[in-house]
Amino acid sequence: MEIFDILVSASFWAAVLRIASPLIFATMGELICERAGVLNLGIEGIMVFGAFAGWMAVYAGLGLWPGVLVAFASGALFGLAHATLTVPFGLSQHVVGLGVTLLATSSAYYAYRLALPEVTSPPRIEPFQPLDIPVLSDIPFLGEALFSQTALTYLAFATVLIVALVLYRTPLGLALRAAGENPSAVEAQGLSVTAIRMGAVMVGSGMMAVGGAFLTMSAFSSFFFEMVNGRGWICIALVVFGAWMPGKALLGALLFAGFDALQIRMQQTPLGADIPYQVFLMVPYVLSILALVAMSRRAEVPAALMVPYNRGER
Amino acid sequence: MGAREVVLRLEGITKRFGKLTANDDIGFALHRGEVLALLGENGAGKTTLMNILFGHYTADSGTVEVFGQPLPPGAPGAALAAGVGMVHQHFTLAGNMTVLENILLGTRPLFGMGLGRGAARARVEQLSRDFGLAVHPDAKVKTLSVGERQRVEILKALYRDARILILDEPTAVLTPQESDALFETLKKAVAQGLSIIFISHKLHEVTAVSDRVIVLRHGRVVGEVATDQTDRHRIAEMMVGAEVALPHPPLGRAGTALMELRDVSTPPEGNRTGLRRVTLSLKAGQITGLAGVSGNGQGALADLVSGLIAPDSGELRVAGQTVARWSPRAALAAGVGRIPEDRHATGSIADFTLTENAVLEGYARPPFSRAGWMDWTRARAHAEDIIEKYDVRCPGPEARIRLLSGGNMQKLILGRALEAGPKIILANQPVRGLDIGALTYVQECLIAARDAGAAVLLISEDLDEIRALSDVIHVMSEGRLSPEFPRGSKTPAELGQWMAGQGFADAA
């Protein structure tokens, strides 16, 4: 049984965490936006731009962590554009989101060509290295499976915890959830729906960009066109899969990453010789759709998701 | 009276929505420990005025002073900080959060850590006891009844130390028992020095609860009077600007049966009671009143008459013919005019214009469409006719119906139903939530339709209305229908016994 051999190998589990990391950042970002009532379809493009911005910053001489900050800031800027159009102006969140994706993607490619007009293959940077954690990394099997990751992966998991704490344990999280459920409740309590929604979209977009930057700064060490490759759309689905709850969304990201890591390894088994590799590539998506259908039946959509809020309208 | 402290003063408030002047130079004062009733017809500008006071809208001109300090316009936060609490007609609660979370929302600095739930819960429980507002702090709001949600809204205001409480039509959604509990709460609040503005158009409540009454009409203050120096009759006169005549229509002349139900049953749907062997005959020129506590099968009967459901067993005859296929389209074709129970959910489409709403039922037929193409000129002319004939107050036929007050929306729906020349009229709670002016008008229209030969089925929870208007009365209880009682043959007490389920052959 090849599948069994794969599942008990530590390298498989290490790959799952690695593949899940960008998804976790971006899914948490999307979740924050949607919990505040804004669907952010700019996610795919913002991830592309974050991948480019973080990598470029490091290539230009900044440190790795300042590079992550640059990626976050670039995402927040696209978030500001998205939020300005969708929140105070109340434009269609679908149209604006797709527009932001197109704009951010092409901006990244354009900036790449401007910065590096001559190169044929993109230059490499020195990415985040696996971080040894005392004691934990030395545990047999578990150490290799769970604790041989880069700092960004640990940060991804910490992000889930932070998002959950903020959403459920702070006044800010309360206001954010209320803005996505019934904005008039926020307004009636003297808070600004506009400020809360715009803030959420900016921070959420920043996190999406960090998700993108994980690809160039931790997983790979260069920037390639098409490298985000639909991960943003997967994250939109993961938010639904997670029923707009951080913990469940994390589970979804791990599940998808698990399918993905599995299909890569299945391609190298004898089975892979008989079946076209495209079938394996398809598997995570098919399984994700099935899981989505099963999980999201009873999901509670934020009641005011995609509903613009206009003060003083009857 | 005059010597008491003024806690709130409005001066020269004016607000326009397009061509509509909702508030026109309104000014009054509220005193400490006083219950001030703000009365007026639908569309008189009560809700608009309170939304300006609370900062949801910005007035075009005028000032608001709270405890002697001017209130900055358009800032609910400033109103809250000044001690103004508002219980909106449409609740401002997040359904996916708990009672406690809804109360805590916005009460702590946004970027502070922690919610302090423990202390807050203790305080909410204390307030619940002090003011008689029983509600569980950890219950999710979406699981609460309407009455409980209103208590949460009041708790929200009290938790923020509101000294002035504004209640916008608080009893419109409550059962009589819940209303009584609310009045007890208000008494306790006044005893503790709070001042209350109570918006309503139910006269008996206003006279029971308030110290002073201010009457608005067409956006202006038309009267101000101490409650103990007036009576309902005079207040009603002030509201509509004329003597109110309660309807005393002569009996109609019953003709042939236009719709007959014989032993019709329908299955229950979820919590909703179905029909149990209902036999009913709706005759031309007759108003058939249907009394009963709501939820006893009226909904199923209304859906059956309007074609939304078909009989499960039994026979449905329309104009003497047995009906095989019964659908909304078939009901329209048979001349059923519908005034649905919920004008927002099933009577209209909020973001459609008045014109579009006016042709919602007739759009597929000439003159509003020909060969599949809409004739908007005809449709608009039709809407303008209804607006004029039924006195729908609105910015114009191209305004979205969302902008209209409930009474004006109802007049448009009434006009839509009656102008189609219906043979059978289903009027389900046609005057619920309407003020006296609109109420009388709607009732007169129904009587006129009856006199023109229509069969009217009037469903209402208001026994007085049923007894005044109906030529014959049925009572519904648990899906069963009582025999037909001629008008005046049963006392309210006797009808009440039928409502409670006594007298039915298969008494449970």
Side-chain angles (χ1 to χ4, degrees):
Chain A
M1 275 306 288
E2 290 95 359
I3 293 187
F4 183 76
D5 291 339
I6 292 170
L7 289 180
V8 296
S9 73
S11 70
F12 167 75
W13 293 102
V16 170
L17 298 195
R18 190 171 61 242
I19 296 170
S21 299
L23 301 177
I24 294 172
F25 280 119
T27 301
M28 290 303 125
E30 182 68 32
L31 189 141
I32 290 177
C33 296
E34 294 194 16
R35 264 301 172 103
V38 182
L39 176 73
N40 190 345
L41 291 183
I43 183 169
E44 178 80 6
I46 291 171
M47 286 181 80
V48 174
F49 201 90
F52 168 77
W55 168 79
M56 197 65 204
V58 176
Y59 178 71
L62 284 181
L64 283 169
W65 286 112
V68 172
L69 277 183
V70 166
F72 182 91
S74 72
L77 274 180
F78 281 106
L80 176 63
H82 186 289
T84 306
L85 294 173
T86 53
V87 181
F89 294 138
L91 301 185
S92 157
Q93 297 178 5
H94 291 107
V95 174
V96 170
L98 292 175
V100 167
T101 278
L102 293 174
L103 176 71
T105 306
S106 43
S107 301
Y109 294 172
Y110 182 60
Y112 174 83
R113 279 291 170 222
L114 278 187
L116 304 161
E118 308 286 304
V119 300
T120 48
S121 68
R124 304 177 69 83
I125 59 165
E126 192 58 38
F128 280 98
Q129 297 300 318
L131 199 65
D132 266 341
I133 299 174
V135 187
L136 290 179
S137 297
D138 301 329
I139 304 172
F141 186 77
L142 278 184
E144 192 192 337
L146 304 180
F147 300 108
S148 60
Q149 303 291 337
T150 69
L152 275 187
T153 294
Y154 301 127
L155 180 64
F157 282 84
T159 303
V160 178
L161 194 66
I162 294 167
V163 167
L165 281 177
V166 168
L167 275 183
Y168 296 107
R169 301 275 156 175
T170 68
L172 184 65
L174 208 57
L176 196 142
R177 286 188 287 141
E181 184 73 13
N182 184 1
S184 61
V186 176
E187 163 115 10
Q189 291 288 62
L191 300 171
S192 164
V193 178
T194 307
I196 288 165
R197 285 188 163 178
M198 287 189 74
V201 172
M202 287 181 70
V203 171
S205 300
M207 288 162 62
M208 295 167 191
V210 173
F214 179 92
L215 296 173
T216 51
M217 300 175 71
S218 184
F220 310 98
S221 49
S222 316
F223 175 76
F224 308 103
F225 291 179
E226 313 291 344
M227 75 186 302
V228 172
N229 194 21
R231 283 184 176 83
W233 309 134
I234 289 292
C235 294
I236 302 254
L238 287 176
V239 173
V240 181
F241 176 88
W244 290 268
M245 290 188 270
K248 278 194 183 173
L250 170 67
L251 191 74
L254 289 172
L255 208 60
F256 180 83
F259 291 142
D260 204 21
L262 192 63
Q263 66 87 8
I264 295 167
R265 282 158 181 76
M266 289 297 284
Q267 286 185 44
Q268 285 140 22
T269 62
L271 202 61
D274 301 333
I275 301 175
Y277 73 95
Q278 286 91 342
V279 173
F280 290 99
L281 284 178
M282 214 164 63
V283 166
Y285 297 92
V286 172
L287 291 179
S288 297
I289 289 171
L290 293 179
L292 191 61
V293 171
M295 282 285 287
S296 58
R297 283 247 186 90
R298 285 167 287 122
E300 292 176 25
V301 189
L305 181 61
M306 291 189 285
V307 183
Y309 182 69
N310 299 320
R311 285 192 63 192
E313 180 169 290
R314 285 167 57 152
Chain B
M1 253 308 273
R4 285 204 292 177
E5 181 191 354
V6 171
V7 294
L8 172 77
R9 190 185 295 282
L10 299 176
E11 264 172 38
I13 302 281
T14 300
K15 174 74 180 174
R16 292 180 200 88
F17 291 104
K19 287 180 200 162
L20 197 80
T21 303
N23 287 167
D24 190 359
D25 193 27
I26 292 182
F28 63 82
L30 175 70
H31 302 94
R32 176 184 291 279
E34 174 186 44
V35 179
L36 175 64
L38 202 57
L39 260 176
E41 296 190 57
N42 286 307
K46 308 175 299 266
T47 300
T48 304
L49 183 66
M50 289 306 107
N51 278 327
I52 288 169
L53 165 54
F54 193 67
H56 283 312
Y57 300 163
T58 310
D60 296 323
S61 65
T63 57
V64 180
E65 258 182 34
V66 179
F67 296 107
Q69 300 295 316
L71 204 59
L80 285 167
V84 180
M86 180 150 175
V87 176
H88 295 78
Q89 197 176 352
H90 303 287
F91 299 144
T92 59
L93 299 170
N96 64 348
M97 306 194 329
T98 66
V99 170
L100 192 63
E101 287 176 326
N102 269 285
I103 292 172
L104 278 171
L105 177 62
T107 58
R108 293 169 74 88
L110 265 193
F111 295 97
M113 295 301 291
L115 285 166
R117 283 175 211 252
R121 180 180 289 109
R123 173 118 195 274
V124 167
E125 282 167 353
Q126 183 66 42
L127 287 169
S128 295
R129 278 195 296 275
D130 290 353
F131 290 91
L133 294 161
V135 58
H136 196 285
D138 294 316
K140 280 250 171 84
V141 163
K142 68 174 166 219
T143 66
L144 301 183
S145 71
V146 174
E148 287 172 313
R149 287 178 201 214
Q150 185 174 71
R151 283 178 234 152
V152 179
E153 286 281 11
I154 297 173
L155 279 171
K156 265 164 72 176
L158 294 175
Y159 185 84
R160 290 187 158 229
D161 297 318
R163 307 305 300 158
I164 299 168
L165 206 53
I166 303 167
L167 298 132
D168 191 0
E169 306 216 2
T171 58
V173 292
L174 299 185
T175 65
Q177 291 80 0
E178 285 173 329
S179 295
D180 290 342
L182 172 70
F183 297 149
E184 283 304 309
T185 298
L186 296 186
K187 274 182 196 151
K188 287 174 184 158
V190 168
Q192 302 210 11
L194 272 78
S195 314
I196 292 168
I197 297 180
F198 183 93
I199 301 175
S200 180
H201 47 239
K202 294 186 186 169
L203 291 178
H204 64 276
E205 288 173 6
V206 166
T207 47
V209 173
S210 70
D211 302 312
R212 198 155 56 98
V213 179
I214 285 180
V215 181
L216 291 186
R217 194 163 74 228
H218 296 197
R220 291 170 159 275
V221 175
V222 293
E224 181 178 344
V225 63
T227 310
D228 54 13
Q229 285 164 24
T230 186
D231 55 46
R232 288 185 206 179
H233 198 67
R234 281 181 42 211
I235 300 174
E237 248 181 76
M238 276 199 280
M239 277 172 72
V240 295
E243 183 96 12
V244 188
L246 290 166
H248 298 290
L251 281 173
R253 280 201 303 274
T256 55
L258 297 180
M259 183 185 273
E260 288 167 283
L261 277 63
R262 286 186 194 159
D263 277 338
V264 168
S265 297
T266 64
E269 282 176 42
N271 293 330
R272 203 175 77 165
T273 315
L275 300 180
R276 285 162 59 187
R277 297 174 64 88
V278 165
T279 296
L280 173 69
S281 170
L282 301 178
K283 298 195 183 78
Q286 180 169 286
I287 294 181
T288 306
L290 192 66
V293 178
S294 86
N296 272 290
Q298 294 97 324
L301 184 59
D303 282 359
L304 183 77
V305 172
S306 57
L308 290 168
I309 57 173
D312 202 39
S313 65
E315 193 187 7
L316 173 68
R317 294 168 74 91
V318 175
Q321 303 290 313
T322 302
V323 173
R325 291 173 59 82
W326 191 231
S327 67
R329 188 57 71 96
L332 278 179
V336 176
R338 300 172 293 187
I339 303 170
E341 179 177 15
D342 186 336
R343 50 186 164 256
H344 299 280
T346 51
S348 63
I349 302 179
D351 280 317
F352 274 26
T353 64
L354 271 78
T355 300
E356 288 165 330
N357 273 293
V359 298
L360 270 188
E361 293 186 329
Y363 71 94
R365 294 189 305 269
F368 305 127
S369 67
R370 281 173 203 287
W373 294 91
M374 287 298 302
D375 184 343
W376 286 116
T377 314
R378 294 285 186 90
R380 197 171 302 113
H382 181 62
E384 277 164 356
D385 275 354
I386 294 178
I387 290 168
E388 166 138 10
K389 204 164 152 188
Y390 293 84
D391 188 29
V392 182
R393 290 186 205 140
C394 63
E398 294 307 307
R400 290 182 303 158
I401 203 164
R402 167 193 292 289
L403 290 166
L404 269 57
S405 68
N408 283 313
M409 208 182 274
Q410 191 72 341
K411 286 187 207 161
L412 185 91
I413 292 169
L414 181 76
R416 179 176 75 198
L418 295 186
E419 288 302 292
K423 298 193 187 79
I424 302 160
I425 297 169
L426 167 69
N428 195 354
Q429 312 271 13
V431 300
R432 174 145 81 182
L434 298 196
D435 56 70
I436 295 167
L439 179 152
T440 311
Y441 184 73
V442 170
Q443 290 175 339
E444 279 168 1
C445 285
L446 291 178
I447 294 164
R450 174 200 76 178
D451 292 342
V456 179
L457 176 62
L458 173 67
I459 303 178
S460 176
E461 287 166 44
D462 185 341
L463 201 53
D464 293 339
E465 182 189 4
I466 291 280
R467 294 183 70 241
L469 289 181
S470 310
D471 300 307
V472 294
I473 298 173
H474 289 274
V475 181
M476 273 203 113
S477 173
E478 294 170 20
R480 299 164 301 187
L481 194 73
S482 76
E484 185 177 289
F485 307 125
R487 182 199 293 177
S489 67
K490 294 279 178 206
T491 63
E494 286 169 326
L495 291 174
Q497 285 177 349
W498 280 92
M499 285 165 143
Q502 292 171 25
F504 288 92
D506 60 340

